[in-house]
Amino acid sequence: AQSVAQPEDQVNVAEGNPLTVKCTYSVSGNPYLFWYVQYPNRGLQFLLKYITGDNLVKGSYGFEAEFNKSQTSFHLKKPSALVSDSALYFCAVRDAAGYSTLTFGKGTMLLVSP
Amino acid sequence: DVKVTQSSRYLVKRTGEKVFLECVQDMDHENMFWYRQDPGLGLRLIYFSYDVKMKEKGDIPEGYSVSREKKERFSLILESASTNQTSMYLCASSRTGKEVYGYTFGSGTRLTVV
């Protein structure tokens, strides 16, 4: 079975500071990894994905994520946070072998203060 | 702009009612999904479909059924609504192919069962 853990329910950061939202995963084979963002009363929006290759993946709105196979992690990062980045962030995983659906973490609320 | 459209943003239904949640996508995607989102639990997969008239149970199918008579439409049915089905319901779709695709989500339907 595949699973995702987002250990922090909430992350607080001041505007202009770097941010990290943590994610660890478990799959039987190689992973496909995704980050999504959800603004209030909206659906999820795709930010970025890791399939293979470079461990640092760049995505929308200046976000990036670092894949670390030995630590089974896929942390979301941004060098300088904006107040408008405040939202709920979800990490998701699926096994690269065969067909499987995405399994999502419980989500991390990011609050960026002015 | 590609879209997944959920017919209702907010619904209030009575216990025991049969409830239909509709989802339509205009991207000619093969795969469609229904998730429910609850605070602290993240997204949990109810049902998915990888082709017309095909359906597969997700992690929490009890109390739900689905229908996919046309490629673009995927309906979630609550046979007899109960208060523990009060939740945010998210529909998503994705493409099948050599490339690894993420999911495109609708804006969600917030269902309250009273």
Side-chain angles (χ1 to χ4, degrees):
Chain A
Q2 56 194 35
S3 65
V4 172
Q6 293 182 242
E8 302 152 317
D9 291 336
Q10 184 169 308
V11 170
N12 297 298
V13 64
E15 188 173 34
N17 284 357
L19 70 88
T20 298
V21 181
K22 295 180 180 178
C23 171
T24 58
Y25 67 89
S26 174
V27 294
S28 56
N30 290 320
Y32 293 151
L33 292 154
F34 300 79
W35 276 102
Y36 286 82
V37 60
Q38 185 181 37
Y39 297 100
N41 296 314
R42 302 297 299 274
L44 276 67
Q45 296 177 27
F46 171 80
L47 275 181
L48 50 80
K49 66 182 178 182
Y50 170 83
I51 305 302
T52 187
D54 195 347
N55 289 341
L56 186 63
V57 178
K58 294 187 183 297
S60 307
Y61 313 120
F63 283 93
E64 57 190 27
E66 186 169 12
F67 171 65
N68 187 315
K69 187 171 184 177
S70 62
Q71 297 185 5
T72 62
S73 67
F74 189 56
H75 300 332
L76 182 70
K77 300 181 179 184
K78 188 174 183 181
S80 179
L82 300 172
V83 172
S84 57
D85 292 330
S86 298
L88 186 58
Y89 291 81
F90 289 96
C91 181
V93 68
R94 59 165 274 214
D95 198 314
Y99 178 83
S100 66
T101 59
L102 280 181
T103 296
F104 288 82
K106 295 181 179 181
T108 297
M109 179 63 72
L110 173 66
L111 293 177
V112 182
S113 55
Chain B
D1 194 15
V2 295
K3 280 186 179 177
V4 175
T5 303
Q6 295 183 231
S7 55
S8 303
R9 291 297 304 274
Y10 300 94
L11 276 179
V12 180
K13 297 292 182 181
R14 295 193 179 277
T15 301
E17 277 193 77
K18 191 169 186 177
V19 181
F20 294 85
L21 303 184
E22 305 290 345
C23 175
V24 177
Q25 50 98 1
D26 65 0
M27 298 165 284
D28 201 35
H29 284 175
E30 293 82 6
N31 310 306
M32 297 189 75
F33 310 85
W34 276 106
Y35 286 86
R36 65 177 282 177
Q37 180 182 4
D38 300 287
L41 297 177
L43 274 70
R44 293 179 291 167
L45 182 63
I46 305 171
Y47 268 97
F48 64 102
S49 168
Y50 51 87
D51 201 353
V52 177
K53 296 192 185 294
M54 305 300 288
K55 60 183 179 182
E56 297 284 343
K57 293 181 179 179
D59 299 319
I60 52 163
E62 296 79 18
Y64 303 94
S65 63
V66 291
S67 173
R68 193 165 180 204
E69 296 297 319
K70 294 185 178 181
K71 189 176 185 179
E72 67 271 19
R73 186 180 297 270
F74 191 36
S75 303
L76 179 69
I77 304 157
L78 285 66
E79 298 291 343
S80 177
S82 64
T83 55
N84 62 13
Q85 292 179 310
T86 291
S87 186
M88 170 71 96
Y89 290 88
L90 294 169
C91 176
S93 69
S94 73
R95 178 171 297 166
T96 299
K98 288 184 179 180
E99 185 174 338
V100 177
Y101 299 98
Y103 295 177
T104 301
F105 282 85
S107 295
T109 296
R110 187 167 294 280
L111 173 67
T112 302
V113 182
V114 297

